[in-house]
Amino acid sequence: MSTALKISTQGGVHTITLSRPDVRNAFNDEVIAELKNAFLAVAQDSSVRCVVLAAEGLAFCAGADLNWMRRMADYTREENLADAGELAAMLRAIYECPQPTIARVQGDVYAGGMGLVAACDMAVSVDTAHYCLSEVKLGLIPATISPYVIRAMGTRAAHRYFLTAERFGAAEANRIGLVHDVVTADAVDAKVAEITQALVNASPHAVRACKKLVQDVAEREINNALVAQTVAGIADIRASVEGKEGVQSFLQKRKPNWLSSR
């Protein structure tokens, strides 16, 4: 049985932890498959309200495992297509996970590891972490992770850091929008807990619908089709059981029923 991941659930918070600190949590084809399967599995669990992606050791994720890179060096184009396809499927499983996802970044993030952070909905970073899109130094491009990283940091920042492969700190990662909060090492867990508690306290159905709303609306032209879709979205949620309960509980100055049992 692989020890690449540690998985636990407590109080509706599901934690998936990268557990290969000896290789700076770099991933290979086996780790990619495990991460994909872990997120696909939790997506089916309605009792889970949010997912934390964490890591052990000094680095959050250093990108590709060196041994895996050595194997890739001899791959044919067809083998590279299949290999990159698995990485893409893993990132998509994280991005499309119906529950909110939070990256708990306790150390450095390099190359493909940037895709893990960017594919999550939120990110909390320790203030000593460094970030780097190092691919051009190796004659490569961050192609597979680019849809997520560009969405997270924005086009302007991507132009700089994709092209220069500069290393930048947590404060800059926060400034460009890649991470939401930067805290000291002893405050990381408290900040993550603050966010997960907010998510657990909110309407489960509305949280999932909001996540999908952001993904559906982002980067799209504001046209009749988009306006109609957003109009239908609010009409549907208002008419739902949780939507009605949430509004009624607010008007009646009481806790909604999804909190009353806690």
Side-chain angles (χ1 to χ4, degrees), residues 139-214:
L140 302 174
I141 60 174
T144 314
I145 65 173
S146 64
Y148 310 99
V149 177
I150 293 172
R151 278 171 171 78
M153 68 163 53
T155 305
R156 191 67 172 166
H159 272 292
R160 175 170 178 174
Y161 293 115
F162 277 33
L163 304 182
T164 65
E166 293 170 274
R167 194 172 75 144
F168 56 93
E172 174 68 356
N174 176 242
R175 187 190 71 81
I176 62 179
L178 179 65
V179 302
H180 294 85
D181 291 289
V182 175
V183 295
T184 57
D186 59 358
V188 172
D189 287 330
K191 176 55 68 174
V192 171
E194 178 185 318
I195 296 172
T196 59
Q197 190 61 53
L199 294 169
V200 169
N201 285 349
S203 156
H205 179 63
V207 166
R208 291 185 179 217
C210 271
K211 173 168 180 171
K212 190 171 187 307
L213 174 68
V214 173

Side-chain angles (χ1 to χ4, degrees), residues 7 25 64 87 110 115 129-130 134-135 138 164 211-212 218:
I7 298 175
N25 294 308
L87 175 60
Y110 280 75
H130 287 91
S134 55
E135 284 83 353
L138 304 178
T164 65
K211 173 168 180 171
K212 190 171 187 307

Side-chain angles (χ1 to χ4, degrees), residues 38-51:
F39 275 90
L40 291 176
V42 75
Q44 305 303 315
D45 189 343
S46 60
S47 69
V48 170
R49 303 290 298 281
C50 58
V51 182

Side-chain angles (χ1 to χ4, degrees), residues 212-226:
K212 190 171 187 307
L213 174 68
V214 173
Q215 294 177 342
D216 288 346
V217 172
E219 310 294 332
R220 281 185 56 183
E221 178 188 355
I222 301 176
N223 55 23
N224 290 341
L226 178 59

